[in-house]
Amino acid sequence: PFVIYHFNQFSIYQTLANVAASPVLSFIIMPALLGGMLFTGTGLETYVYAAAAWGIDVIITIARGVSALPYAAWHVPAFPVWAVILITLALLWLCLWQSAWRWLAIPVLFIAFASLWFQSPPDILVSEHAKQVAIRNTDGSYGMLIGGTRNFDAGLWAEKLGITEWQPHAFLCDSISCSFMMNNQRVTWLKYDEGRAELCSTSNIVISNFYHECREPATIMRPENSVQVFVKQSGIIVEESRTFLN
């Protein structure tokens, strides 16, 4: 669970990789590194460190081979914090108690792991000062409206969302703005200040990477920190999220 929480993926063949790599690490790399330290200054350390470098190359080859196997990694969205805390407490309960009470931890673990499938993913992700904006398409995929798909923010968001690639976004764009209907709420990306008054009056959410004001009651976003937005028919929820902080 802790690997899933931090890296948002679970390696199916991690046991196979560890079994293959552990002998190389224990019997070649570590002794060679220790021997290199002992022979430092004699000129022999070059040959000993060469053995360690060869062992490291072997481990890298093993890692690449295992990662290339079918279904080598299971990409999952981020665990909610409460689920990680619940899993930790349940595992402690399971390990520390010696009586039949320990088995009460099993249903708690099921509930915590089930949160992966029942949590609501964000509809919009907005980075600091709206330099990067991603939206959730109607088919559940995510598209990048603003910013590249190969930078740090995009990589972090993809990991936390449990996705392997970005899809084309479904915004309808013109020279001034991009608009998208989501749960009967109109979301607008404002490129330029031109036409702001009209767009503010017809949009529920207005996102831009420059300062502007809307006289109409539209939710305006140019956040100081990364936020996740949940667009509901009943309204809009904007949360600062440490999960998606850049």
Side-chain angles (χ1 to χ4, degrees), residues 153-176:
D153 284 338
L156 176 64
W157 290 355
E159 288 181 0
K160 298 304 180 182
L161 293 169
I163 62 177
T164 56
E165 60 181 353
W166 295 96
Q167 302 296 328
H169 66 77
F171 269 78
L172 299 176
C173 299
D174 55 29
S175 60
I176 299 175

Side-chain angles (χ1 to χ4, degrees), residues 127-150:
S127 72
E128 177 185 0
H129 297 161
K131 297 176 182 177
Q132 192 97 11
V133 179
I135 65 165
R136 187 168 182 259
N137 295 320
T138 54
D139 60 358
S141 65
Y142 282 85
M144 193 67 69
L145 174 63
I146 300 299
T149 59
R150 296 184 179 275

Side-chain angles (χ1 to χ4, degrees), residues 11 13-23 62-63 66:
S11 177
Y13 306 117
Q14 60 179 340
T15 303
L16 173 62
N18 288 332
V19 168
S22 292
I62 293 172
V66 172

Side-chain angles (χ1 to χ4, degrees), residues 89-103 105:
L89 295 176
L91 290 176
L92 288 173
W93 182 281
L94 184 64
C95 295
L96 295 179
W97 278 94
Q98 300 300 314
S99 64
W101 287 97
R102 65 186 303 194
W103 303 114

Side-chain angles (χ1 to χ4, degrees), residues 9-90:
Q9 63 179 7
F10 179 75
S11 177
I12 306 298
Y13 306 117
Q14 60 179 340
T15 303
L16 173 62
N18 288 332
V19 168
S22 292
V24 180
L25 177 65
S26 301
F27 298 111
I28 297 177
I29 296 177
M30 297 307 294
L33 293 176
L34 179 60
M37 294 177 60
L38 295 176
F39 288 110
T40 298
T42 65
L44 297 176
E45 69 272 12
T46 302
Y47 303 100
V48 181
Y49 283 138
W54 177 84
I56 293 173
D57 288 338
V58 171
I59 288 183
I60 293 175
T61 302
I62 293 172
R64 288 175 175 170
V66 172
S67 63
L69 294 174
Y71 311 106
W74 178 36
H75 295 273
V76 295
F79 264 123
V81 176
W82 66 264
V84 177
I85 296 174
L86 202 62
I87 290 172
T88 303
L89 295 176

